[in-house]
Amino acid sequence: MTMKILIVRHAEPDYAIDSLTEKGRREAELLSERLCRLDVKAFYVSPLGRAQDTAAYTLRRMNRTARTLPWLHEFRGHCYDEMAGRDRICWDYRPRQWQPHALLYDPDRWLDDPLLQGGNVREIWQETVDGLDAILAEHGFHRDGPVYRCENNQPDTLVFFCHFGVGAAMVAHLCNIPPMLLWQGFCMQPSSVTTLVTEERVKGEAVFRCMSLGDLSHLYAAGERHSTAGLYPECYTGRDSTNPPEWDEKK
């Protein structure tokens, strides 16, 4: 048995009201049927409505509460995009803009890349990793360089209801991976569950490994199709948006 962390992205969002669509509510219900079977030590949730509403289905079914953590807010680090002449979310660059930047592939130096300057990326990243490490310290895991010191590793399960950007940042920190590779190369669809577990190969030293990223088996088992929210269109439409309702809007 091992410590287990579940990072749950909110169900399909209605961004206009910061809540869920009707499909999102079906997703949250199916998610709750999955999570209620687990022995969960603690629940944590983002302050945003779409995460709170997703968590509510599971918490109500299990008669539990969750602690709201401000740093679980969607990752809001921004920087100045010289090509566009405006600020942008740091994980929203187009591939040709960020891929030639070697520092973004370096887990120790990615924050120094010129592409990420002129904003608050470093501050938001630090807020995120400090917040995560503080929660893990409450459960006996203390960050020590690339590993965590633990005197009494327990088979606890922690569940975090949050968002793709901050969820990917959490995986990056736990697995010592530069986050741009996760933000750009992977996707955690609405209501998906990402699972990380500890390995303690040296007594008192634990590392985290990702067992699954963006798992949606609770939807597929019930015949519910995944949501495309968070993905860009597969083929060019002229709409550079991850919000599917905008894909078909007239230009």
Side-chain angles (χ1 to χ4, degrees):
M1 300 293 288
T2 179
M3 160 70 85
K4 185 178 295 183
I5 290 177
L6 304 185
I7 300 172
V8 180
R9 186 184 172 194
H10 58 77
E12 184 176 77
D14 183 334
Y15 288 115
I17 59 173
D18 189 24
S19 186
L20 306 178
T21 64
E22 285 304 310
K23 173 174 169 49
R25 297 187 184 282
R26 294 197 303 273
E27 293 176 351
E29 181 67 36
L30 293 171
L31 172 67
S32 73
E33 293 175 7
R34 172 181 182 171
L35 296 181
C36 75
R37 300 187 181 100
L38 305 179
D39 182 11
V40 177
K41 178 77 171 181
F43 290 97
Y44 304 97
V45 62
S46 157
L48 295 183
R50 52 194 183 271
Q52 294 270 338
D53 291 346
T54 300
Y57 284 79
T58 297
L59 299 174
R60 184 165 53 246
R61 182 184 287 264
M62 298 179 70
N63 194 27
R64 297 283 297 275
T65 60
R67 193 197 311 180
T68 297
L69 302 174
W71 63 266
L72 275 180
H73 188 290
E74 178 59 292
F75 195 89
R76 59 200 186 282
H78 63 84
C79 47
Y80 186 72
D81 182 352
E82 293 186 356
M83 182 178 296
R86 60 176 176 83
D87 280 357
R88 74 157 61 246
I89 295 296
C90 65
W91 42 279
D92 194 29
Y93 279 103
R94 296 180 182 181
R96 191 178 291 273
Q97 286 180 273
W98 75 268
Q99 287 177 346
H101 289 249
L103 285 181
L104 294 178
Y105 297 81
D106 188 323
D108 298 316
R109 301 180 61 201
W110 67 274
L111 283 166
D112 298 325
D113 191 275
L115 206 63
L116 301 184
Q117 307 314 306
N120 65 346
V121 179
R122 188 179 298 273
E123 289 78 8
I124 299 302
W125 172 257
Q126 198 62 53
E127 174 188 283
T128 301
V129 301
D130 286 349
L132 177 56
D133 284 344
I135 292 296
L136 292 179
E138 292 179 13
H139 295 274
F141 290 80
H142 302 272
R143 185 84 177 192
D144 183 11
V147 303
Y148 286 86
R149 290 182 289 103
C150 60
E151 295 182 359
N152 186 26
N153 194 350
Q154 296 293 312
D156 294 335
T157 296
L158 311 180
V159 177
F160 296 81
F161 291 93
C162 54
H163 313 267
F164 169 65
V166 71
M170 293 166 67
V171 174
H173 180 57
L174 293 173
C175 297
N176 301 300
I177 299 169
M180 190 65 84
L181 302 186
L182 291 170
W183 285 331
Q184 291 278 345
F186 295 82
C187 197
M188 297 146 73
Q189 292 305 101
S191 87
S192 66
V193 179
T194 293
T195 303
L196 298 102
V197 299
T198 55
E199 287 184 338
E200 190 180 356
R201 299 179 67 187
V202 176
K203 179 63 176 176
E205 288 189 357
V207 297
F208 283 90
R209 296 190 71 178
C210 186
M211 295 283 288
S212 63
L213 189 143
D215 179 66
L216 290 169
S217 55
H218 54 284
L219 298 187
Y220 300 146
E224 180 73 32
R225 189 179 184 279
H226 69 270
S227 169
T228 55
L231 287 170
Y232 288 94
E234 293 182 9
C235 300
Y236 183 73
T237 64
R239 290 288 181 184
D240 193 32
S241 171
T242 61
N243 190 6
E246 297 177 10
W247 293 1
D248 298 325
E249 288 182 0
K250 294 181 179 179
K251 302 178 188 177

